[in-house]
């Protein structure tokens, strides 16, 4: 009799778990909605700028071969009150670079972002250099951030008279938190009454399942339906007026649903890679695959005349041809799932090149019920 209160407590805890929460996480193939979708309009913006890296140990641009570096050096020193226009500068401690960065969504003024620095001239390495203050502009030519700081380079290059050693790319580096955001991107998420989720892998079935999962949760949480599938790529959401957009998207994103994927086989003939989707089906077919090897060897034989004759010694070419055929077996393949298909291919003892040839032949015969993508 003492076990009944504990059982009632367990049932009460199970009933208290909201629909679509971590209780759904144990299902095979269930994924969170925020892992397969993105909010329309919430994206990063690309920034770019032109700057100078100084402090290089003789590995910078040669000013004679990189005139833009010399012009940039003159302009920078002019702003600092130093005039070198009539001087013949030969420094190799400076390099012209292109600075790129991604401005995350909702990045406020004063926050920091990472930047990537890439050489534009004939500099051999950016190791040990520091980026001088560089404005970063967006596609609208407005300045959104300013970058500055020491450049971290993971590669190196060492060269002697007879040998050189290099690792990675020493002419590209990064500055962690090297840019300071000066301007915010216009727009606020709470101003939108209608939000749109975009599927990363568009599919009609997945869009319908997402809408059904959200509506099942919303009927218990908000008392009404809030989602509607628009097409294979997007699902429209009506945000409740008394809930912020951030909280609404956080609750929706933690729901679990089943993501569908088209039946697809992807093969890469250069590397021998074969990727077979879970929904791939194949009709019953008989497959024969054998390796035919033809070897041709060229040789030479010396032909000498008989003694005391007027003949000449000549070289006579000889050709040897051998033919060998291995493992020309006939196997029956077929099944309704991926496991059966893979088992059938493994039983034949095929290499990746043989699997690729068989899949292409099965697709040509019409027995492969999937899309074949050749890279």
């Amino acid at each position: 009799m003492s076990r009944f209160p504990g059982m009632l407590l367990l049932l009460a805890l199970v009933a208290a778990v909201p629909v679509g929460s971590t209780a759904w996480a144990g299902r095979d193939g269930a994924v969170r909605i925020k892992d397969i979708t993105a909010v329309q309009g919430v994206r990063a913006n690309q920034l770019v700028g032109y700057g100078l890296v100084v402090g290089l140990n003789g590995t910078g641009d040669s000013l004679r071969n990189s005139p833009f570096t010399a012009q940039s050096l003159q302009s920078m020193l002019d702003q600092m009150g130093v005039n070198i226009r009539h001087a013949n500068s030969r420094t190799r401690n400076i390099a012209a670079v292109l600075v790129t960065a991604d401005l995350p969504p909702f990045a406020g003024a004063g926050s920091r972002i990472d930047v990537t620095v890439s050489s534009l001239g004939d500099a051999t390495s950016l190791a040990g250099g520091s980026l001088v203050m560089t404005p970063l502009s967006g596609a609208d030519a407005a300045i959104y951030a300013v970058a500055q700081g020491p450049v971290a380079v993971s590669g190196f290059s060492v060269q002697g008279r007879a040998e050189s050693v290099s690792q990675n790319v020493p002419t590209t580096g990064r500055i962690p938190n090297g840019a300071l955001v000066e301007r915010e991107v216009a727009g606020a998420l709470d101003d939108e009454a209608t939000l749109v989720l975009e599927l990363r892998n568009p599919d009609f079935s997945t869009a319908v399942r997402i809408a059904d999962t959200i509506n099942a949760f919303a009927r218990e949480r908000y008392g009404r339906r809030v989602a509607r599938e628009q097409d294979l790529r997007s699902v429209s959401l009506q945000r409740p007026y008394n809930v912020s957009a951030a909280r609404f998207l956080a609750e929706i994103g933690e729901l679990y649903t089943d993501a569908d994927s088209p039946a697809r086989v992807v093969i890469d003939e250069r590397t021998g890679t074969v990727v077979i989707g879970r929904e791939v089906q194949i009709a019953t077919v008989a497959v024969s695959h054998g390796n035919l090897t033809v070897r041709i060897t060229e040789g030479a034989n010396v032909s000498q005349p008989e003694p005391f004759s007027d003949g000449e010694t000549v070289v006579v070419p000889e050709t040897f041809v051998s033919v060998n055929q291995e493992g020309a077996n006939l196997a029956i393949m077929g099944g309704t799932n991926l496991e059966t298909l893979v088992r059938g291919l493994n039983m034949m003892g095929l290499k990746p090149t043989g699997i690729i040839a068989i899949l292409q032949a099965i697709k040509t015969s019409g027995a492969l019920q999937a899309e074949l993508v050749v890279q």
Side-chain angles (χ1 to χ4, degrees):
M1 298 296 293
S2 60
R3 291 183 300 175
F4 285 99
M7 184 178 297
L8 293 177
L9 178 60
L10 178 61
L11 293 176
L13 290 176
V14 173
V17 177
V19 177
S21 65
T22 53
W24 289 20
R27 298 186 311 173
D28 294 336
V31 294
R32 294 183 303 180
I33 290 180
K34 69 178 182 180
D35 295 331
I36 59 175
T37 62
V39 181
Q40 189 180 72
V42 179
R43 62 176 183 84
N45 292 275
Q46 295 177 333
L47 305 178
V48 66
Y50 172 83
L52 294 175
V53 171
V54 298
L56 302 176
N57 187 17
T59 59
D61 296 338
S62 58
L63 301 185
R64 178 173 299 179
N65 297 331
S66 302
F68 49 86
T69 305
Q71 295 175 6
S72 302
L73 176 61
Q74 293 176 2
S75 300
M76 182 183 67
L77 293 179
D78 284 343
Q79 295 179 0
M80 297 180 178
V82 180
N83 186 2
I84 61 169
R85 292 190 177 275
H86 300 289
N88 188 13
S89 302
R90 295 184 179 273
T91 178
R92 288 294 302 267
N93 296 343
I94 188 172
V97 295
L98 192 68
V99 185
T100 58
D102 288 336
L103 183 64
F106 311 115
S111 58
R112 290 187 171 273
I113 57 177
D114 299 341
V115 297
T116 301
V117 181
S118 304
S119 175
L120 288 175
D122 57 354
T124 57
S125 177
L126 299 180
S130 296
L131 178 68
V132 182
M133 184 173 60
T134 303
L136 302 180
S137 305
D140 56 355
I143 297 176
Y144 288 90
V146 177
Q148 183 172 275
V151 181
V153 179
S154 60
F156 66 87
S157 178
V158 180
Q159 183 175 1
R161 292 185 177 181
E163 188 176 358
S164 63
V165 178
S166 62
Q167 182 179 3
N168 297 333
V169 182
T171 53
T172 299
R174 289 182 62 84
I175 306 179
N177 296 326
L180 191 64
V181 178
E182 299 290 345
R183 177 184 297 185
E184 299 180 5
V185 178
L189 194 60
D190 283 335
D191 295 340
E192 301 293 335
T194 301
L195 303 173
V196 178
L197 298 180
E198 292 184 343
L199 278 68
R200 292 189 171 92
N201 295 316
D203 184 81
F204 283 111
S205 299
T206 305
V208 171
R209 292 173 184 175
I210 291 176
D212 293 342
T213 301
I214 294 176
N215 287 329
F217 168 78
R219 279 194 295 264
E220 296 185 5
R221 181 69 171 84
Y222 308 113
R224 63 185 181 89
R225 297 164 56 94
V226 297
R228 180 180 180 275
E229 64 280 1
Q230 292 183 340
D231 48 39
L232 79 165
R233 189 179 297 273
S234 57
V235 177
S236 176
L237 302 177
Q238 296 294 328
R239 179 174 63 88
Y241 69 92
N242 58 344
V243 180
S244 65
R247 179 178 294 275
F248 179 62
L249 291 175
E251 294 177 350
I252 295 300
E254 292 296 330
L255 301 179
Y256 281 82
T257 188
D258 293 326
D260 197 6
S261 59
R264 184 175 297 166
V265 178
V266 181
I267 61 177
D268 190 340
E269 294 182 331
R270 295 171 298 178
T271 61
T273 303
V274 180
V275 179
I276 304 176
R278 181 182 61 181
E279 301 297 332
V280 173
Q281 296 185 7
I282 181 174
T284 302
V285 291
V287 178
S288 176
H289 180 76
N291 295 324
L292 180 64
T293 303
V294 179
R295 178 175 295 177
I296 302 176
T297 304
E298 296 289 345
N301 189 14
V302 179
S303 176
Q304 296 181 347
E306 295 181 358
F308 307 102
S309 64
D310 295 334
E312 298 181 356
T313 301
V314 296
V315 178
V316 180
E318 290 185 348
T319 302
F320 302 93
V321 180
S322 62
V323 180
N324 183 24
Q325 189 172 8
E326 301 177 356
N329 299 325
L330 184 65
I332 298 178
M333 297 173 52
T336 58
N337 52 33
L338 176 61
E339 182 180 359
T340 305
L341 175 60
V342 174
R343 188 186 301 114
L345 293 174
N346 290 333
M347 289 178 60
M348 299 182 65
L350 298 174
K351 296 181 179 180
T353 54
I355 296 177
I356 291 175
I358 287 179
L359 290 175
Q360 290 177 333
I362 294 176
K363 178 64 176 178
T364 303
S365 67
L368 183 62
Q369 310 303 326
E371 178 186 2
L372 183 62
V373 180
V374 181
Q375 295 182 346

